[in-house]
Amino acid sequence: SPLRAFEGELGVQAPVGFWDPLGLSADGDVEFFKRRRETELKHGRISMFACIGYIVPEYFRFPGELSPKLGLQFADIPNGLAALSKVPGQGWAQIVAFLGTYELFVNGKSING
């Protein structure tokens, strides 16, 4: 069976063994398996950062101005999804540019390779 190829992978535990209820690894392709595992780890990390980003502003705010040109203080930004409309577009562009650069140049190497 092609699924036996993954019985020795990290996370496989008795009595279930390799558990793939949707059959995503039914073809036994190791490269697709590694890509899915890498993507799952990345999405898990993003989810953890999102949770921290939602919780931390309840207890801590950076001092100073977020946008000196607009006179916008960090303390003026609400928590949660309400912050989306308060942060200027240029601020979001900077965040996206930073994350894109990080993804391409720093985190560009494969986790599995």
Side-chain angles (χ1 to χ4, degrees):
S1 156
L3 293 179
R4 294 283 176 210
F6 307 121
E7 283 295 327
E9 290 293 330
L10 183 66
V12 175
Q13 296 179 358
V16 178
F18 179 71
W19 190 64
D20 183 18
L22 298 178
L24 297 174
S25 300
D27 59 358
D29 190 336
V30 175
E31 290 303 316
F32 280 148
F33 175 80
K34 287 184 176 182
R35 175 66 182 137
R36 282 190 206 102
R37 175 168 277 183
E38 182 176 331
T39 304
E40 182 181 8
L41 288 171
K42 187 176 286 187
H43 287 166
R45 290 174 182 153
I46 290 170
S47 297
M48 287 185 276
F49 279 129
C51 288
I52 292 296
Y54 207 82
I55 295 169
V56 168
E58 292 287 338
Y59 303 102
F60 174 77
R61 299 283 180 152
F62 284 110
E65 293 182 311
L66 174 67
S67 175
K69 182 178 178 183
L70 299 175
L72 187 61
Q73 302 284 327
F74 282 107
D76 298 337
I77 304 299
N79 292 343
L81 296 175
L84 294 174
S85 63
K86 301 297 181 193
V87 176
Q90 291 176 337
W92 289 117
Q94 288 175 348
I95 292 169
V96 169
F98 172 77
L99 292 175
T101 302
Y102 179 82
E103 187 65 29
L104 287 173
F105 300 109
V106 177
N107 199 28
K109 294 183 179 181
S110 172
I111 293 172
N112 294 306

